[in-house]
Amino acid sequence: MDVKSSQVTGNAALHYAAWHLSRRGWNVMLTARNSKGSDLYCANDAETVFFGVQSKGLTKRDPVGLGGNLDNLRSDWWIITIKAKTDAPVCYIMTLAEVKALCHRSDPAKSSNGKVSMWLQPTAYDRPEFKEAWHRFSGTPATWKCAYEALEAKAY
């Protein structure tokens, strides 16, 4: 088995994130890998709160590709896991609004295919407010909405 494959890295990160969310009381369902949309769907016990999670697994502190159009990003929450296949993975917990606000737009003139691509640089996600910030999944969607509104008012 090739333990160096990116698919294994992604699976390790996905299951690690699901484990953390489950330990915090969320019912977590994994979706089919490499499908559009969220990688995880979470619900509370009463099934009154639902949210999607995009999981990104990396072997080291690298940029995270976001594609060419930010409008295609859907998940409410993003969990970026570095060192995903080690005994000490590190997770960064971000909202979709934070991912969009902090992304880097490549220069199409400098790309190999001449197209724009969006990236989340390590300096954008590797911040104290995101590192192992599992506490962000406590509270209610109303508090999450306040966080989104505060972010939109804040300039990075």
Side-chain angles (χ1 to χ4, degrees):
M1 175 171 61
D2 179 14
V3 294
K4 292 183 179 180
S5 81
S6 61
Q7 185 172 5
V8 172
T9 303
N11 283 339
L14 181 70
H15 288 274
Y16 187 71
W19 174 72
H20 266 286
L21 291 164
S22 296
R23 288 181 52 226
R24 286 162 175 76
W26 295 102
N27 296 302
V28 182
M29 181 182 76
L30 283 69
T31 62
R33 292 291 292 151
N34 298 322
S35 61
K36 287 188 177 186
S38 297
D39 295 315
L40 300 169
Y41 285 104
C42 303
N44 64 353
D45 279 337
E47 296 184 1
T48 56
V49 177
F50 299 90
F51 59 90
V53 175
Q54 180 70 49
S55 173
K56 295 291 184 183
L58 305 169
T59 57
K60 60 186 181 198
R61 190 177 174 268
D62 276 336
V64 176
L66 303 174
N69 185 348
L70 294 179
D71 292 335
N72 292 335
L73 305 182
R74 295 183 178 95
S75 302
D76 304 309
W77 290 94
W78 285 59
I79 301 176
I80 299 163
T81 306
I82 63 170
K83 303 178 186 175
K85 294 185 293 187
T86 70
D87 290 335
V90 178
C91 294
Y92 300 90
I93 316 301
M94 302 177 74
T95 64
L96 176 59
E98 290 162 344
V99 169
K100 287 181 175 183
L102 295 171
C103 78
H104 169 77
R105 183 179 187 271
S106 71
D107 182 354
K110 294 180 182 178
S111 74
S112 60
N113 62 6
K115 294 183 180 179
V116 171
S117 60
M118 305 294 186
W119 296 88
L120 196 59
Q121 297 293 342
T123 53
Y125 66 78
D126 189 353
R127 297 180 177 197
E129 64 264 34
F130 304 138
K131 187 175 185 178
E132 299 296 341
W134 296 103
H135 66 277
R136 300 184 79 188
F137 291 106
S138 60
T140 64
T143 60
W144 298 347
K145 184 173 187 258
C146 292
Y148 285 133
E149 290 167 353
L151 174 69
E152 289 172 356
K154 181 180 179 181
Y156 277 95

